[in-house]
Amino acid sequence: MSAGGSGGPATGGIDHNKIIIFGIIGALVGIYAAYFLVNAIGSAFSFIAGLGAICSIVWGASAVRRVSNYGLGTGVPSIGMLAIGTGMVASLFGMAVGSIAGPIISFVTACIIGLVIGILANRIIGMGIPIMEQSMTEIAGAGSLTIVALSTTMSGTFMIETILPNVIGTGYIAMIFIIGALSILHPFNANLGPDEHQDRTLSTGFEKGAIAVIIAGIVATTTAGAASIPTILVGAFIWYTAFSKFYEYIKRDAHKVVGTGVLPTEEELE
Amino acid sequence: MIDIVGILSANLLYVLLITIGGTLVSFSVHFVPVGGAPAAMAQAPGIGTGTVQLAAGAGLTGLITAGTVLGLTNSIAIVLASGAVGAMLMIGSTMIIGQMVYVFGVGVPPAGGKSKYDPITKDQQDIYSSQGTEGHALPTASYISGIIGGGLGGLGGSLVYYSLVNVTNNIGMTDLAGLAGIFAVGIFFINAVIPSYNIGGTTEGFHDPKFKKWYRAVISSIIATFMCAIIGVLAIGGL
């Protein structure tokens, strides 16, 4: 039984390699820019890491779209959860041992674990999806960058001494887990089907990423190193733009969009 | 930089225990009767949702019960037992509520599709399956299989958590609980997804023909969890 996806490679739209570069560079630049600007100027710049998180989320969503189009058999959510599970293990390791190189160590570790899981899935479990190795590497890498970026948005730094009491000890890390997983898995899960289009799926990715940034901004009210108002405002602006774009694509792709009107009252039904 | 060899040799036992725990989780998923979307429409037996959601629900409950007990005692037997019982209770209540919805809501009798007779009660199954379906709801064998799966999953999850908490470190208890907890959740999810790819998203329990493929997921999980265990022990031990 296959759930979701047409059983072939995903087609159309922007070249996936460009999205990979956008995701990696965008996320790393966002994380490091936020870190250095917060240190040099002030906590107001913590929102830049949120922009980085959106880049990696869109990349993750695009990778999920490519691999899930083959039909995973278990539904799309499983691969998002795998991405963020791998990313979580790798990013906590990277931040714990890496100090200033934390985000890069997290990313590389996640890619290695992802690659191994991809090889295992094809060679031992026998899933037979040709791009499984590459996609698992990408998805795990995107998951780890998302986690590091959202942690940085919440606390203004990726140094484990600050992350530990502010994000992990308080339990916000569990929230990062689920908002990260949902924003990576949901875009394709919501748009899959014969009429799936890359631009509509990715606009959902931007929109979900913006919601994650808004939530990270709300958490930032509890931490000293990060400012919440700029993060929430930037998140809300991106959300509005992406959602308008998404709705525009819906109207383009749908046969017809009609209003159903208000529900009939009891008297009208009689 | 941290002392990689020193930390690993001091905590070798925990690396092995985490690997065993993760592998147990992977094995346990094969027992849980997951029906996916067809079961949600009462067209196939099992609980109408995905493997990952079920494993997460049961496993996380096991993790929470194990974590609560770990605050009171450091005895490994009690921690593991509470983890297993917590997960069994969670999967049991999920299945009983699901069963009530299928029987009283949808109006179908529990019937399996993979074997003609229920392997435990020996009741005939095929005559109760509606036409065009593979069976529906949770026959006795699937229910008992699910309880076994929950128990094994909870056992594995709490073993991972117990091992991570006991790695030698210099972190405060609250931060350590959060760190070990989220590591355990990450390892749990990896080991819940690998077997769900192995069974292709749906299974009826231990009597399902797909169950015979368990060794593939277990081998994969041993490799994947071993890597995660080394990373987890290094991260916590290095702080």
Side-chain angles (χ1 to χ4, degrees):
Chain A
M1 189 208 69
S2 121
S6 56
T11 49
I14 310 162
D15 181 26
H16 183 67
N17 291 333
K18 285 185 188 156
I19 299 174
I20 298 179
I21 296 167
F22 169 75
I24 300 176
I25 305 287
L28 285 176
V29 167
I31 293 165
Y32 278 107
Y35 173 72
F36 286 119
L37 287 175
V38 166
N39 270 354
I41 302 172
S43 60
F45 288 93
S46 61
F47 75 89
I48 301 177
L51 302 180
I54 296 181
C55 296
S56 57
I57 284 169
V58 170
W59 171 35
S62 175
V64 167
R65 169 179 181 267
R66 277 185 84 214
V67 69
S68 300
N69 223 39
Y70 284 89
L72 295 169
T74 58
V76 183
S78 65
I79 205 151
M81 289 299 184
L82 184 57
I84 223 76
T86 321
M88 192 55 88
V89 173
S91 56
L92 290 180
F93 168 73
M95 290 193 283
V97 304
S99 185
I100 188 76
I104 296 172
I105 295 183
S106 306
F107 176 62
V108 173
T109 315
C111 288
I112 295 171
I113 304 179
L115 178 65
V116 171
I117 293 179
I119 294 172
L120 292 173
N122 258 355
R123 299 287 162 81
I124 298 183
I125 295 179
M127 287 182 77
I129 295 178
I131 56 165
M132 193 69 186
E133 289 91 349
Q134 191 204 334
S135 294
M136 279 313 307
T137 313
E138 284 182 39
I139 290 168
S144 78
L145 286 177
T146 306
I147 293 163
V148 177
L150 286 177
S151 308
T152 312
T153 319
M154 285 178 179
S155 62
T157 173
F158 48 78
M159 290 298 162
I160 194 76
E161 298 79 32
T162 315
I163 296 275
L164 204 54
N166 282 341
V167 179
I168 297 173
T170 47
Y172 292 128
I173 192 82
M175 202 165 72
I176 294 184
F177 193 103
I178 203 70
I179 57 178
L182 278 176
S183 33
I184 288 179
L185 70 89
H186 182 71
F188 185 71
N189 205 29
N191 287 302
L192 61 83
D195 66 339
E196 193 267 343
H197 283 108
Q198 192 204 36
D199 47 8
R200 183 154 51 94
T201 303
L202 294 188
S203 68
T204 321
F206 274 101
E207 185 235 324
K208 289 293 162 293
I211 294 178
V213 171
I214 295 173
I215 293 174
I218 296 170
V219 171
T221 53
T222 64
T223 55
S228 67
I229 303 294
T231 312
I232 295 174
L233 288 179
V234 168
F237 173 73
I238 297 175
W239 181 85
Y240 180 77
T241 318
F243 192 80
S244 317
K245 204 76 190 160
F246 172 61
Y247 189 50
E248 202 176 285
Y249 290 137
I250 289 177
K251 286 191 282 192
R252 180 199 66 192
D253 294 340
H255 171 64
K256 203 172 188 183
V257 178
V258 290
T260 55
V262 206
L263 284 173
T265 59
E266 262 181 50
E267 289 149 17
E268 280 170 339
L269 283 172
E270 279 165 7
Chain B
M1 204 58 195
I2 54 163
D3 172 22
I4 293 179
V5 181
I7 295 172
L8 280 184
S9 56
N11 297 294
L12 196 63
L13 174 70
Y14 294 125
V15 174
L16 295 177
L17 285 181
I18 295 169
T19 312
I20 295 171
T23 312
L24 268 177
V25 172
S26 175
F27 184 52
S28 77
V29 172
H30 294 80
F31 285 93
V32 179
V34 219
M41 297 179 285
Q43 291 177 352
I47 316 168
T49 182
T51 330
V52 184
Q53 285 84 342
L54 275 178
L60 297 185
T61 319
L63 220 57
I64 290 169
T65 48
T68 315
V69 172
L70 197 57
L72 306 170
T73 167
N74 206 22
S75 150
I76 185 168
I78 298 178
V79 173
L80 294 190
S82 61
V85 170
M88 284 159 91
L89 277 175
M90 187 67 212
I91 197 94
S93 35
T94 312
M95 288 192 293
I96 200 84
I97 299 292
Q99 186 83 303
M100 284 161 70
V101 170
Y102 285 122
V103 172
F104 299 111
V106 186
V108 288
K114 292 286 157 64
S115 55
K116 198 174 173 188
Y117 295 94
D118 187 302
I120 291 176
T121 60
K122 308 292 176 207
D123 291 333
Q124 196 172 349
Q125 301 289 305
D126 51 348
I127 47 172
Y128 294 100
S129 286
S130 311
Q131 261 190 352
T133 70
E134 293 173 30
H136 20 63
L138 289 141
T140 314
S142 294
Y143 197 94
I144 291 172
S145 180
I147 297 283
I148 298 172
L152 287 175
L155 196 68
S158 46
L159 188 58
V160 173
Y161 181 69
Y162 176 86
S163 310
L164 286 168
V165 167
N166 280 288
V167 170
T168 41
N169 63 72
N170 304 309
I171 318 172
M173 192 53 213
T174 322
D175 294 346
L176 177 63
L179 192 60
I182 202 73
F183 255 120
V185 171
I187 293 175
F188 196 93
F189 268 104
I190 295 172
N191 286 303
V193 176
I194 290 176
S196 77
Y197 288 154
N198 191 33
I199 55 175
T202 58
T203 179
E204 265 185 43
F206 55 68
H207 57 291
D208 194 296
K210 287 181 194 166
F211 185 76
K212 295 193 183 77
K213 294 202 292 181
W214 63 268
Y215 61 91
R216 293 187 187 175
V218 165
I219 294 169
S220 309
S221 284
I222 289 174
I223 301 170
T225 320
F226 184 66
M227 291 174 68
C228 295
I230 291 178
I231 289 172
V233 167
L234 279 180
I236 294 181
L239 288 172

